[in-house]
Amino acid sequence: MPLPTRMSTAAARTKTWDFSYFKSDLQGGLVSFLVAVPLCLGIALASGAPLFAGIIAGIVGGVVVGALSRSAVSISGPEAGLILVVVSSLEALGSFGALQLALCIAGVMQIGLGIAKAGIISNFFPSSVIKGMLAAIGIILILKQLPHVLGYDADAVESLALFSWNGGELESLLAHAVQEFNPTALVIALASLAVLLFWERPMCRRNAVLAAIPAALVVIVLGVALNAAAALLNPAFALAGTHLVQLPVPQSAAEFMQLFTLPDFSQITNPKIYSAAFAIALVASLEALLAVEATDELDPLKRKTPTNHELKAQGAGNIVSGLLGGLPLTSVIVRSSVSINAGGRTKVAALVHGSFLLLSVLVFPRLLNLVPWAALAAILLVTGYKLARVSIFRQHFQAGLTEFLPFIVTIAAILLTDLLIGIGVGAAVGLFFILRETYKNAHLFQHYSVAGQEHLRINLGEHVSFLNKASIMTVLKDIPMDTTVEIDGTNSIYIDRDVLSAIENFRETARQRNIQLIFLRKGDDYAHSIAAQPHVSTKEADFEAYYKLFQNNRDWVAEKLRRNPRFFEATAQQSPKFLFVGCSDNHIAVSEMTGTAPGEVFVHRNVANLVVSTDLNLASVLHYAVETLHIQHIIVCGHYGCRGVKTAMQNTEPGVVSSWLSNVRDVMRRHAHELGALETEDERYRRLVELNVIEQVYNLHQSPTVQQAYARETPLHLHGWVYDIHGGVIQDLEVDVRRDFAEYDTIFRYQVAPEGLRRLSGQLHQAPSIYSVSTGRSPIIAIPPFDGDAALGVP
């Protein structure tokens, strides 16, 4: 019978390449491309670089980084947070060609950081800080779209600092916007917002036609159409110039190729190149790590980006961008969130994004230059709102001060400074609360009494730092005489050396006060640490291990109630539909193997999972399960690595276990020919485990309780399973007892008679593997099928 193969690790992982999302990815890539075009140009303009350098960085970020990255939803390109680095580097180096060389070296540095596994840095930022960063970006997006809504588009850079807009302030910017108010831009923005909000309604999502059309694409078409209509009514009403996207339009192939430039390799010995490269690599890497951490939070499928691989992909992208004449690039939260909101689910969206950027400069630059900034502003307004929804603030407020304060401080710091400084301030506040909680909760104290003697248990947390030394020593110092103290560090991943030294020093002074100290350590050190303490007797050490079972039980109860306050109430009301006959040697709980609640399966175990007619224990369990619990499925489950089956194969010494396992040896003898044909002992061992399960299902089928249930036409089904203890996979052996017995009953039942073999009438109740059964007069035997044309009685 074919065995189910285990899914490969690669297949089991959530995939970043999944073309079942192609339609959604196409929408996400298209919408993020439309938003990215003006942003790429604006960042290049603000950086003092050639305008086309921003487009090159966007193309490379989409195509090169998109292909190499393992982030499912992140989209890379030029980012406003790098503007200051580019401006200062250009000023120090004196030419854009030298900056390109620094960018290539920065890419090499990023690859080196990835190889050195520096991506672990992102794990040290609390989730409340990351969510605060997203909310701050949402607020900035909303505020900085307001000038575009009013028709002021002189500055196209959407930087991630609220009060650093070309050295000005938001109030000044809004004042300019009010002075240059344009009613056409306001109409386009409001109409676009109305379309986006309408598309979010359930009636639109349920409509097959509307759901298939990206709302952002409708907004772009609507914006172009409304501007064209304004031009027809009165040319003075039409938006033009900075109010529209301004993509470079090359007039020939030669002019297009001139947009790409090579680095100035003659500057390779200039030390300023390397300082600029280091600055670019540092800022770009930090922003990339923070961005992928944030986009992983936004990912509806909750996939996790391997950060070290991401650094390598970003480094490769910056090398290519530098070689072609592009700006530094990194993962960009705004584009990524726009793509996710539009339906992007895999890295195909990033490739679509980059491909459309390339096509836009090759095929339809003039068409893109018709798109009003006001329509794009509406898309970014909705994106900003989704990043900074009121429900996110409410959720963190309800989570308590330790969650809310780092969240709100991160938002305020980013709004008042810039992205990296704000993240740093938020992380510092988060670190304070982590240290505070570590100090408070690194150990728990519990008093209890054993046989009239006072015991004190100190449970250490996962991380016990030097900060916890003072509080632990304060408790130890106040312990009364004649007390047994157990310090349980079995759950601790890290215990500071100062704490360990303090505990060992306390051991010496404790003896003078008749205090017995037992220090339990993690893993294999557990038993040794008890036995190595000379003042603890063997009897005491055994009982300490015994008492720990009760502590484990209390911990387990607390964890279950924390997850579900009604867990035990629900478990007590379970009505099982399965009887599981397993092996005592299989140490994995049935609920663990099958993912069921503890009360869903009725369990019986014995050595080698045998079903023996003389076993009154199993007979009672079987009768109670079928007659009282009305079990519908009975499962006999063996397991590879069964020591009962192994003993039956090797051990012939007399004894209770050997007598019990004679049933397995009977199975081995009946199938000696099949087992002998296998090449290795391990193959014979594994096959005997399977044959033993099949035999026990046959024995179960013959039991009076099961036969009576069949006679009443009770819906009862028998199954044979094998559990792989090394892989955790359950295999159904697909035993069909009714089919097997019917087949042998009609074909393989004969009686030895003087004239030859004679077929018997009546019903067969013997397992197909039993080849000879006495009827009291002469044996009934089962033999291979007859030849189709042979006379009855002639094999």
Side-chain angles (χ1 to χ4, degrees), residues 501-566:
S501 299
I503 292 173
E504 292 303 324
N505 292 336
F506 172 78
R507 186 194 302 281
E508 300 301 322
T509 60
R511 292 173 182 172
Q512 302 172 8
R513 293 188 285 156
N514 196 29
I515 295 174
Q516 294 186 348
L517 175 65
I518 301 174
F519 187 17
L520 307 179
R521 300 296 301 278
K522 184 180 179 182
D524 295 334
D525 296 335
Y526 179 80
H528 297 296
S529 66
I530 297 177
Q533 299 170 29
H535 62 287
V536 180
S537 67
T538 303
K539 183 177 180 181
E540 288 172 336
D542 289 343
F543 268 94
E544 286 301 328
Y546 168 73
Y547 295 138
K548 185 166 176 59
L549 297 178
F550 294 94
Q551 179 61 35
N552 292 342
N553 169 257
R554 288 189 286 272
D555 294 342
W556 174 73
V557 170
E559 176 63 17
K560 290 298 182 184
L561 293 177
R562 184 183 68 81
R563 293 176 177 269
N564 180 6
R566 302 186 64 184

Side-chain angles (χ1 to χ4, degrees), residues 68 223 329 341 343 377 408 419 439 470 482 538 680 705 712 740 762 765:
L68 297 177
L329 55 86
N341 290 335
I408 203 71
L419 184 67
Y439 178 79
D482 305 321
T538 303
T680 66
T705 300
R712 297 194 304 269
D740 293 346
H765 288 292

Side-chain angles (χ1 to χ4, degrees), residues 165-325:
W165 192 306
N166 281 357
E169 295 182 351
L170 183 63
E171 294 179 1
S172 173
L173 179 66
L174 291 174
H176 280 298
V178 172
Q179 292 172 5
E180 300 187 23
F181 169 71
N182 190 308
T184 305
L186 180 62
V187 170
I188 292 174
L190 293 178
S192 300
L193 277 173
V195 169
L196 291 170
L197 295 176
F198 175 73
W199 238 258
E200 290 289 327
R201 297 181 64 83
M203 60 174 293
C204 291
R205 294 184 177 186
R206 290 193 296 265
N207 187 287
V209 176
L210 295 179
I213 303 173
L217 183 60
V218 176
V219 164
I220 297 300
V221 173
L222 177 65
V224 173
L226 288 176
N227 193 40
L232 291 175
L233 291 175
N234 187 338
F237 292 160
L239 299 178
T242 59
H243 297 295
L244 305 177
V245 172
Q246 294 178 314
L247 192 66
V249 182
Q251 302 299 322
S252 64
E255 187 176 335
F256 176 74
M257 294 304 298
Q258 290 175 1
L259 296 173
F260 298 91
T261 58
L262 289 173
D264 183 2
F265 290 104
S266 66
Q267 298 287 322
I268 194 71
T269 58
N270 185 352
K272 294 181 179 179
I273 290 288
Y274 298 93
S275 59
F278 178 77
I280 294 171
L282 180 63
V283 176
S285 297
L286 283 174
E287 294 216 1
L289 292 175
L290 293 171
V292 295
E293 188 79 15
T295 52
D296 285 347
E297 290 282 344
L298 297 174
D299 182 8
L301 304 181
K302 297 305 175 187
R303 290 157 291 190
K304 189 69 178 174
T305 300
T307 51
N308 295 318
H309 189 90
E310 183 66 21
L311 285 176
K312 298 174 189 176
Q314 295 290 337
N318 275 318
I319 292 173
V320 174
S321 183
L323 290 173
L324 296 178

Side-chain angles (χ1 to χ4, degrees), residues 761-785:
S761 59
Q763 187 175 4
L764 178 68
H765 288 292
Q766 301 299 336
S769 60
I770 299 177
Y771 288 90
S772 179
V773 179
S774 174
T775 63
R777 294 174 300 181
S778 58
I780 296 176
I781 64 172
I783 62 176

